[in-house]
Amino acid sequence: VQLQAFGGGLVQAGGSLRLSCAASGLSFNNYGMGWFRQAPGKEREFVSRIKWNGGIRDYADSVKGRFTISRDNAKNTVYLQMNSLRPEDTAVYVCAASRRFLSGSPYPGNYDYWGQGTLVTVSS
C-alpha cells in the first residue's frame, strides 16, 4: 500500500494550495480517508476526514470554512483544497487511510496506512 501526497509548497498568507493524495495497493473506495498535519515542535493534528463515498466530511475548527476535502474514487485520490491560508497552517500535511472507520476518524490511531507527507509553508 502506498499513499503519496503532493501539492505542498510556499505560499503567501491569504493564498491557496490544493493537496492531493494518490493511493495504490488498496481498494480505495473501501477506506475512509483523513488529512493530518504536524508543525515543527508540535504533535500531529487532525485536519479533515471524508467517508468512503464522500457522504460525510469533517474538519478541525481551525480550518473550517477555509479547507475543503474531496475524493475521486475513480482516480484513487483524495484532495484538500486550502484557501485563505495563514502562517499557522505551516506544517507537513499527511494523508491516511482507514479500513475500520469508513467515515475516517479524527484520531490517528484509527488509521491503517499513512503517506509520507508534503510540506506547506505559509509566509506572512
Side-chain angles (χ1 to χ4, degrees):
V1 174
Q2 276 196 326
L3 301 176
Q4 188 170 8
F6 53 94
L10 174 63
V11 63
Q12 287 189 330
S16 299
L17 282 174
R18 188 195 196 202
L19 305 184
S20 301
C21 172
S24 60
L26 74 169
S27 297
F28 185 70
N29 58 2
N30 287 336
Y31 284 78
M33 299 297 295
W35 283 99
F36 290 77
R37 66 186 182 187
Q38 189 164 14
K42 295 188 176 181
E43 292 189 354
R44 184 170 291 181
E45 175 188 26
F46 166 73
V47 176
S48 184
R49 64 182 174 107
I50 187 167
K51 190 176 179 179
W52 68 273
N53 62 357
I56 294 175
R57 309 178 194 203
D58 186 30
Y59 302 91
D61 288 344
S62 58
V63 308
K64 203 169 291 184
R66 300 187 296 122
F67 291 10
T68 302
I69 191 170
S70 62
R71 65 189 294 161
D72 185 339
N73 286 350
K75 296 182 178 179
N76 287 1
T77 301
V78 61
Y79 305 96
L80 186 68
Q81 177 66 44
M82 305 186 297
N83 298 330
S84 302
L85 282 162
R86 304 167 180 169
E88 54 264 39
D89 294 319
T90 294
V92 174
Y93 284 72
V94 183
C95 60
S98 176
R99 182 66 181 92
R100 296 165 288 156
F101 292 82
L102 298 181
S103 295
S105 170
Y107 306 106
N110 290 340
Y111 287 86
D112 303 295
Y113 302 106
W114 292 84
Q116 86 289 358
T118 184
L119 176 62
V120 172
T121 304
V122 184
S123 63
S124 57

